[in-house]
Structures are given as structure tokens and as C-alpha cells.
Amino acid sequence: MSAIVLMLLGLGGMAAGYFLYSRFIAERIYQLDPDFRTPAHEFEDGVDFVPTNRFVLWGHHFTSVAGAAPIVGPAIAVIWGWLPAFLWVVLGTIFFAGIHDFGAIWASVRNRARSIGALTGEVVGRRARAVFMIVIFLVLLMVNAVFAVVISRLLINNPGAVVPVWGAIAVALIIGQLIYRRIIGLGLVSVLGVAALYALIYVGPQVPISLPETTLGLSAGASWILILFFYAAIASLLPVWVLLQPRDYINGLQLFIGLILLYGAVLVANPTLVAPMVNADVPAGTPSLIPLLFVTIACGAISGFHGLVSSGTTSKQLDREPDARFVGYFGAVGEGSLALAAIIATCAGFATLADWQAIYTAYGQGSMGAFVNGGANILHAGTGMDVAVGATLLTVMAALFAGTTMDTGLRLQRYIFQEWSVIYEIPWMGKALPATLLAVASCLILAFGAGGADGSGGMLIWPLFGTTNQLLAGLTLLVITVMLVRLGRPARYTLIPLVFLLAMTLAALLLQLRNLYLDGEWFLLGLDIVVLVAAVLVTLECIGALRRLKQTPPAESSAP
């Protein structure tokens, strides 16, 4: 089958979701109000609360939630065949991710930009909030500790990517000044910023940079991890307009150019999907399609981490409430488009089925390497771009997205400690610097305490990320559903997705529990039990809240 058909069906479906379904949700369900005073204006401080142009905010939001996950998840899941991955990405984007991300922004904006975890206390109850905050902290810990390892490995394996990855920070600092001091218009800034990024990508391979194998007893990977956390700590303390927003905005434009190149190459080269539509001969040891598909592909279909970004940083920068539809739902569409590109690259970027099968020899294989190599082959066939240049472009794109996710993730961890300082009355922890240091320390303890001198400890708990992350998405939908019921609005548009997602996630957790027990992975087994108990407790609390609401008449108000 031609990859063009898959591309047109996928992009067409997601476009229809944005122009039709999201408009209905915005007008009839969330009922966005252009006159509502958003927290960005109410609490404007020039640091975290900053009214932001919706295009710039979309870039920040999209690149913060993207990372490497919408590439890695689909690139692994195609082992079951391209059809299941395709259907989950497209339908998940339209009916799950868009509603979830959009709804998390709306819920937070209507409640003084509080995070979804803090909001749980008011909407559901204190016990649910306490448990929910633990799940959130675990997800952020996993993301930050693991993405540091991912970026360090990308920099070590491709020294030519070092200059463009770090040079992008300098570009973002300049872009931030140009935008917010209104020196030149956004259009010209965008052109200059993207041109600078691609110039760096061209220069990078000419001046490869590698760290010494050992520095003060630390490996090159461990040194990069420390450097990355030092940078992320500074970035999390800077006002969002200085680095976070412009870096994410330019990266977002860079991604769309990359997607245009890749999809354009598909139109020109018309590659064939060599992978099976449904793989009836999966390698031994591959888990069952249901429920694992729905936790293997998270970002690109629906992801709990998106709710943290939506309610943690994005809601603090929303200029007008109607912008939530463009930033949240269209951000999910952008992520779905990237996941679709990953499916096409990994299923049509190889010459034959035998070549594909040589890569996908076991569950977990393929991943980023299959995307980079397959995508580079398609770019070469469609544009004539050198395969090595195409591989560098795609590698830098992945590294930049992982970096922006880590920036935002550490800032969100700082917010968690600051919210805990209010909840548990610990004044010193509410200040930005101590909260940031605690966030960095918790990540480094996991990275080096569990992983030893190489700093890869985050990988130890990564197997639980998929289920924990999807659990968080389900719980976020629960909170939004309770708010809708409280307002007397139709809740089935969030209730149906959350029931399906919780069912798949709980089934995956139970399956994982059995496998961890059989494998003797006692630490992960204990952590899996903690996550499972947390899921059950918060779900029961939400069910109790819904029952209580049925006994009282709904009250339509501007602030649920």
C-alpha cells in the first residue's frame, strides 16, 4: 500500500478533528469566553504569568509536550503492524488527546492557573489531591531523569549534533529579546530563527564536539547529564519569555519544516509500506496488542504529561481563553502529525519486508534508530538530500525536543514543590531557588543513586512510565469530567475516553505486575503496586465526588 494514502487519511482526519470537533467542544462543552480575564493578566509577574501571543504559546506548549515520545512510542508499536498504530494515533488525537490537553488548559485557567494536581483538592477532595500529586511527581521524575540520558546518548553518538543542540539556546535568547522588546515583527523573527537553526545543523557535522571519556572520574555520559541539569535549573528559574517560550516556538517551527520536508518527500517518492498491516507473526516475547498498544503509544495519541504542561505552564501564559482551543487541541494535532510521520518512516523507510523484520526482532526494537534511518531514506528518495544529512537533521530535531521537554519538566517539578509548600505550610520550600534545587536533587539522586556513576538510574523505572503516564491522563480526564458535571454540562465527551483509557491502563498495570513478579523485579514490583493503589484510590474518590454532585443541582458559574 502507498504511504501517501496513509498520510492523507491521517492528516485529513486530524484536520477535521480540529476544524469541526474542537469547535463544537469549545462552544458547547467548555464554553470559552473571550471576555474572561485569564490568570496571565490577573497575576502577571513577568516571570511565570506572562500574556503571550497564541502562536508563540502554541510553539512553547507543543514542543514542551512533544519530546522524543511521539517518535519512540509509534516506532516501537508498529511491531504489531501499522494499522493498529495508525488507528490509535489518529482516533486518539481527535477524541482523546485534543480533548484532554484542551480541557486541562481550560480547567486550570478557570481556577487561577493551578496545576491539575492542586486542582484535584478542590474539585474532588484532599485525599485524592495527595495521591494524585505523588503520581504527578513520579511521572516528572521519570521524564526528567530519562530524557537527560536520552539527550546525553544522542550527543555522544552524534558529535555533530552538539553545536546545533546548544547553539539553539543562544538563538532562543536572541529571539526572546527581539520578540518581547518589539525590535522586529514576529514574522521576520521566525524566518531568522529558523534560518539560524538550520545553519547550525549544517555547521554541526563540520565541527563535531566530544567530551573526554572520563572527567574527574565521570564518564562522558555522566558529564553531559550534569551539564544538562545545570542548564535546566537555570532555564527553569529564568522568566519564561527569556528562554523557554522563544526556544520552544522556534523548535516548533523547525519541526513543522521537518514534517513538511518528510511529508513532501513521501508525496514525491511515493514509498510503499513494507511492514505488515497487522503483524500475525510477531517475535517471541512480544506482549499482547491489547492493552499494551495504548500505553506504548502515549504522546501522539494521549499522554498525562500533556496535562501537566497544560495546567502547569501553558495556563499561566494564555492571553485569551478562546486561545486554549488553538494551543491545546491544535498542539495535540501537531503531536499526532509527528507520530504519524514516525509510523510512515518506520514502515515505509525500508526497501523490503525482510529489511524491516531485521530491525524489529523483538518488542522494544526499532525505536529512534528506525525513525532516523527510515526517515533519512525517504528524504533521500524524495528530495535528493544526502542520507547522512537527513539523519543528522532528524537526530537534532529529536534532541531539541527532548531538551525542551526537560526544560519544562524541571520547571513543573519546581511548581510541585512550591504547591507542596502551600499545602503542608513549609514557607522556605515555596521560594523558586530552593524548590528548583530540590527538583534537581531528586532527579540526580535517581540518576546516580540508582544507576551508579553513569547517571542512567532513570532508566531503572522507565518501564513503568507508559502505564503511569496514561494513568495520569485518565485521572486528568476524571477531574475535567467532575467539573463538567458540577457545571451541568454534557460530560460524555470526556467520560467515554476516560473509561476506555483507565480500563486499558489498569489492565496493563496488572499485566505488568504479573511479569515483574515472575522476573523477580522487586523494586519495580513495589513501585507498580504504589501506582496501582494510587489509581484505585483516586478513581474511587472521583466516583464519590460524582455521586455527591448528583444529589445537588448543578450551578453554572464562571469559576468551577
Side-chain angles (χ1 to χ4, degrees):
M1 176 175 156
S2 168
I4 293 178
V5 175
L6 204 64
M7 180 186 77
L8 294 179
L9 287 175
L11 294 180
M14 288 184 277
Y18 174 70
F19 288 111
L20 301 175
Y21 189 56
S22 76
R23 184 182 297 276
F24 165 76
I25 296 296
E27 294 175 354
R28 299 290 299 277
I29 309 303
Y30 296 148
Q31 298 181 18
L32 304 184
D33 181 3
D35 297 322
F36 179 78
R37 191 182 185 204
T38 64
H41 289 282
E42 185 177 358
F43 306 112
E44 184 174 359
D45 61 6
V47 179
D48 295 319
F49 292 85
V50 180
T52 304
N53 175 287
R54 68 173 186 154
F55 294 102
V56 176
L57 183 56
W58 174 86
H60 154 69
H61 174 82
F62 170 49
T63 54
S64 294
V65 301
I71 298 172
V72 173
I76 291 174
V78 294
I79 197 168
W80 289 298
W82 58 259
L83 182 61
F86 171 78
L87 291 175
W88 176 228
V89 164
V90 176
L91 297 179
T93 295
I94 297 171
F95 298 108
F96 288 71
I99 303 304
H100 170 273
D101 298 10
F102 179 8
I105 296 174
W106 166 75
S108 180
V109 164
R110 284 285 169 153
N111 287 274
R112 295 176 292 164
R114 280 178 289 181
S115 74
I116 202 71
L119 184 57
T120 305
E122 180 175 323
V123 175
V124 182
R126 293 181 181 177
R127 286 178 297 186
R129 178 186 64 189
V131 176
F132 205 169
M133 294 287 269
I134 293 173
V135 176
I136 291 172
F137 185 78
L138 284 173
V139 168
L140 289 173
L141 193 62
M142 293 176 191
V143 167
N144 292 332
V146 170
F147 272 40
V149 177
V150 170
I151 299 169
S152 70
R153 290 178 178 175
L154 285 172
L155 295 178
I156 290 172
N157 294 333
N158 191 349
V162 173
V163 168
V165 166
W166 290 102
I169 297 171
V171 172
L173 289 170
I174 296 171
I175 293 300
Q177 295 297 320
L178 293 176
I179 292 175
Y180 286 93
R181 298 191 186 280
R182 303 183 187 279
I183 298 174
I184 56 178
L186 183 61
L188 182 56
V189 166
S190 302
V191 173
L192 292 175
V194 170
L197 277 184
Y198 277 93
L200 288 169
I201 290 173
Y202 175 78
V203 171
Q206 316 302 320
V207 285
I209 296 175
S210 299
L211 292 182
E213 289 189 13
T214 57
T215 303
L216 299 176
L218 295 174
S219 65
S223 297
W224 274 128
I225 289 171
L226 289 175
I227 293 170
L228 286 164
F229 274 113
F230 179 75
Y231 154 74
I234 295 174
S236 73
L237 290 169
L238 289 173
V240 289
W241 65 268
V242 172
L243 178 59
L244 194 67
Q245 283 181 356
R247 173 173 159 84
D248 291 354
Y249 173 65
I250 294 299
N251 281 346
L253 292 179
Q254 181 248 163
L255 170 68
F256 260 83
I257 291 173
L259 286 177
I260 289 170
L261 286 173
L262 189 56
Y263 283 132
V266 170
L267 285 173
V268 173
N270 190 21
T272 300
L273 294 163
V274 298
M277 183 169 68
V278 177
N279 193 2
D281 188 25
V282 296
T286 302
S288 61
L289 169 68
I290 297 176
L292 264 296
L293 172 69
F294 305 102
V295 297
T296 300
I297 300 180
C299 296
I302 181 172
S303 165
F305 181 73
H306 295 196
L308 300 184
V309 176
S310 296
S311 64
T313 61
T314 304
S315 63
K316 294 177 174 64
Q317 302 166 57
L318 199 74
D319 184 29
R320 299 171 63 253
E321 192 176 53
D323 292 348
R325 173 180 170 237
F326 177 77
V327 175
Y329 197 102
F330 192 61
V333 168
E335 182 126 326
S337 301
L338 179 56
L340 177 62
I343 293 171
I344 292 173
T346 54
C347 294
F350 299 93
T352 65
L353 174 60
D355 291 334
W356 183 86
Q357 290 174 329
I359 298 294
Y360 286 90
T361 57
Y363 177 73
Q365 296 300 310
S367 192
M368 186 68 72
F371 168 75
V372 169
N373 294 328
N377 290 334
I378 292 175
L379 286 172
H380 174 70
T383 68
M385 183 184 296
D386 183 77
V387 173
V389 173
T392 298
L393 187 151
L394 295 175
T395 298
V396 170
M397 186 172 75
L400 287 177
F401 279 118
T404 55
T405 300
M406 187 178 169
D407 291 355
T408 302
L410 199 65
R411 185 178 287 258
L412 290 171
Q413 261 191 302
R414 188 245 291 179
Y415 291 161
I416 291 292
F417 279 109
Q418 289 179 308
E419 288 177 349
W420 276 339
S421 76
V422 175
I423 294 171
Y424 300 111
E425 299 180 355
I426 310 174
W428 66 268
M429 199 164 69
K431 298 178 180 179
L433 182 58
T436 300
L437 292 176
L438 286 172
V440 172
S442 61
C443 293
L444 291 179
I445 288 171
L446 174 62
F448 289 93
D454 66 350
S456 63
M459 293 295 182
L460 181 66
I461 61 174
W462 185 250
L464 292 179
F465 173 75
T467 47
T468 307
N469 185 47
Q470 296 302 72
L471 167 65
L472 183 57
L475 298 181
T476 300
L477 286 171
L478 270 172
V479 172
I480 297 170
T481 300
V482 172
M483 290 177 60
L484 291 173
V485 172
R486 176 182 289 183
L487 290 169
R489 300 177 190 174
R492 59 183 174 275
Y493 303 99
T494 56
L495 182 62
I496 293 172
L498 85 84
V499 169
F500 176 83
L501 193 61
L502 281 181
M504 292 298 105
T505 303
L506 290 174
L509 274 169
L510 290 171
L511 181 63
Q512 207 167 34
L513 198 69
R514 174 182 176 275
N515 293 337
L516 291 173
Y517 174 77
L518 293 176
D519 294 340
E521 296 282 357
W522 307 118
F523 173 74
L524 288 177
L525 180 69
L527 198 57
D528 191 297
I529 292 172
V530 169
V531 174
L532 184 60
V533 170
V536 173
L537 288 177
V538 176
T539 303
L540 291 176
E541 288 287 334
C542 287
I543 292 173
L546 287 171
R547 286 179 175 174
R548 290 193 296 272
L549 285 173
K550 284 186 178 181
Q551 299 172 3
T552 59
E556 192 74 49
S557 65
S558 62

